[in-house]
Amino acid sequence: MTNLTKVPVTVITGFLGAGKTTLIRHLMQNPQGKRLAILVNEFGTVGVDGDILKSCADESCPVENIVELANGCICCTVADDFIPTIEALMALPQPPDHILIETSGLALPKPLLKAFDWPAIRSRITVDGVIALADAEAVAAGRFAPDVAAVDAQRLADDAVDHETPLSEVFEDQIACADVVLLSKADLAGEAGLARARAMIEAEAPRRLPILAMTDGVIDPRVILGLNAAAEDDLAARPSHHDGHDDHEHDDFASVVIDLPEITDPDDLVARIQRLAREQHILRIKGYVAVQGKPMRLLVQAVGERVRQQFDRPWGTEPRRSRLVVIAEHHDIDETALLSVLRG
C-alpha cells in the first residue's frame, strides 16, 4: 500500500500560546472539500482548546470527529491513548479525509512521529507534514536564541530573559522536527521583528525550512496541507535532544486549575494575570470566567503578560463556573500564591 492510499495526518506543534487552536479553527473554516478530524492534546484536565474547536464544528468536521486527550502528553502515552484514538477515528461511519493533531505546547514531536510506525496504524495513515508555530514577537525578542552571547546581551536590557531553561529545549525540538514553520502573531512583531525571528529560526533549524508569517491563524491551507512528507520515514533528518533515550519527562512543568467566583471587572482580572507573569513567572493561563450581569462566558487566554479576552458564547444551561488552567515550570507553581493574586 502506498502513501497515496493512506489518510494524511498533519501534526501541528508549537510552544505554549503560539496560536495552534486559532490556526486549526481557520482550517476548519476552509476545509478544501475535505472531511476533517481533529485530535487535541492539552496539558491539564480542563479542555479549553477542545471546547473552542467543538464550538466551530460543522458538516466538514462534526463534533464526533473532534477528540480531546487531556492530562497526558500523547508523545508519552502512545499505546494507551494515541493508537486507540486514531483507530476510533478511522472506524467512524464516514472516516476522515485528513486528520489534524494539535499537540500540547510541551510536546516533543519526534516521539509522536515514531508512533506512526506502529503496525496497527502504519498501513492506514501517514504524516503529511509537521507544522511548527512560533510566536514571532517572542522569538524576535531572543527568548529562544541559539546564540548564547546574544541572549546574554539581551539580559542586560531585560532581566526576565532566560535562555537556559527546559523551554528552549522544547522549542528547539519542535523546530528541528518541522516541515514548515509559521511565525504567528506577525502583526505584533512588525517587519523588523519578523526578520529577526526568521534569522533565529534559520540558525536553529537543522535544514532549510519554509518560514512563513501569519496573523490570526490565517494562511492558505494549500501551503501547509498536502505536503506528502511521510515524516515517519524521515526521522533521521529531524534531530532531537532526546535521541537515544527511550522516553522523556515533562516533570519540569506543572499545571493547576483555579476556581474563581464570578467577577465584576475583566480588566482587573487581566491586571492580576499580568502580575502573576511578572512575579511568579507563570507561562500560560487559559480558561473561562463568569462575569456578573453578562449572559456570555468570557474566554481568557494569556501568554506571559500578553492577555486576550473575548465573550465567546452564552452559558445557556451550563453552570456559570469560572475555571482557569495555570501552567508554569514546576518550581514556579505555588497554588496558595496563585489563589491569593487571582481571588484578591
Side-chain angles (χ1 to χ4, degrees), residues 8-48:
V9 178
T10 297
V11 177
I12 299 175
T13 186
F15 188 58
L16 298 160
K20 299 183 293 296
T21 303
T22 303
L23 171 63
I24 292 178
R25 289 179 68 177
H26 174 68
L27 296 176
M28 291 173 66
Q29 293 163 359
N30 299 273
Q32 307 293 297
K34 299 180 184 295
R35 186 175 179 85
L36 302 178
I38 299 169
L39 195 163
V40 183
N41 186 212
E42 297 202 56
F43 191 77
T45 57
V46 178
V48 176

Side-chain angles (χ1 to χ4, degrees), residues 37 42 87 112 144 147 158 163 206 218 256 260 301 340:
E42 297 202 56
E87 290 180 318
L112 176 58
F144 302 104
D147 186 341
D158 185 355
H163 176 67
V218 176
V256 63
L260 300 175
Q301 300 255 36
S340 176

Side-chain angles (χ1 to χ4, degrees), residues 212-248:
L212 309 174
M214 178 181 69
T215 296
D216 294 331
V218 176
I219 192 164
D220 190 329
R222 295 172 298 178
V223 175
I224 60 173
L225 303 182
L227 300 180
N228 298 313
E232 70 274 18
D233 296 327
D234 187 34
L235 296 179
R238 303 165 192 265
S240 166
H241 285 282
H242 297 268
D243 284 341
H245 297 276
D246 292 332
D247 54 18
H248 65 279

Side-chain angles (χ1 to χ4, degrees), residues 127-141:
V127 183
D128 180 70
V130 179
I131 311 301
L133 273 66
D135 185 314
E137 187 181 37
V139 175

